[in-house]
Amino acid sequence: MSDILFSLPVEQQITPCLTLCKKDELPVIVINHPKAKGAISLQGAHVLSWQPEGEKPVLWLSPESNFKQGVAIRGGIPICWPWFGKAGDPMHGFARNQLWQLIAHDENDECVWLTFSLEDNEQTRILWPHSFSLIARIKMGETCEIELESHGDYSFTSALHTYLNIGDIDQISVSGLGPNYLDKVVGGEHTTADKKLTFSGLIDRIYTQPESFSVIADPANQRSIEIHHKNASDAVAWNPGAEVAKGMADMPDDGYKTMVCVETAYVTNARTVTNDKPQFLSATIRCHKNEQK
């Protein structure tokens, strides 16, 4: 799917490294920098792809994704805001379905920075009766960094819903999630002594005491992926498994085999924003190649 994004016809050359393209109905910023390639949809300020030089794509994007106005994209890093899950309609909030504005960008030999903004409008006030201002700062180079800044006067929950591209769900493990979690499949609060999470069937958990970063060991791709969680209270781990994937129109039946979500979040307790105190949520992703034996 990433190859398609990087071959889209150019509508505007913004800088030597940044181009404005269009995928079906949605405008997409394509990044082609010596340190990394990537793509960001203006709908949702949604990171679609990030691929450091010499690496396979790090983010998973479904080949069945819809690039239609107002329709959520399956994969990448959706911004879930101002609620997570089924706490409201649409699921995971409206920020990922809204058109954001690119308000600033810069680049140097190491990376590119892009800044997007979203403010309340007639559509959002029907769904959620609050004034707000959001800023999403995205940096792409040898690492991918995303920071969400929320302004206004309200309470909310949020997540950076990161889909990672893996070789084989049966082989991966995730560490750094902590011992305590809410299980959304069987229900209830649980504690585990296992230091690593492995996957067999549907997994949908909110870890409530995660470490400062999580590590996804991906032996099939001969690498590990770190996700550093900042200003987060929770980390979410999700894979739909075979049966649920078959019922998802925007995911191939076997799509679950090559993706896993490890999300930076605050969802168990709402955060409160006041006019003099914004709230932040940040994630940094980096790859490490495994040494050959």
Side-chain angles (χ1 to χ4, degrees), residues 162-189:
T162 306
Y163 288 73
L164 297 167
N165 179 39
I166 57 168
D168 184 352
I169 190 66
D170 293 330
Q171 296 184 35
I172 74 155
S173 64
V174 183
S175 58
L177 294 170
N180 301 321
Y181 63 92
L182 306 176
D183 195 313
K184 298 176 69 178
V185 178
V186 301
E189 301 180 13

Side-chain angles (χ1 to χ4, degrees), residues 68-125:
K68 297 180 180 180
Q69 293 180 9
V71 178
I73 299 167
R74 174 71 65 187
I77 310 178
I79 294 174
C80 303
W81 192 98
W83 56 79
F84 179 80
K86 298 178 181 179
D89 187 24
M91 185 173 177
H92 288 322
F94 53 75
R96 64 178 181 161
N97 298 337
Q98 288 284 313
L99 188 66
W100 294 52
Q101 300 297 315
L102 176 65
I103 60 173
H105 55 84
D106 199 359
E107 58 194 60
N108 61 21
D109 292 342
E110 298 301 319
C111 61
V112 298
W113 296 268
L114 302 100
T115 304
F116 300 85
S117 68
L118 177 68
E119 296 184 352
D120 59 284
N121 55 54
E122 185 177 345
Q123 287 181 326
T124 69
R125 287 189 290 272

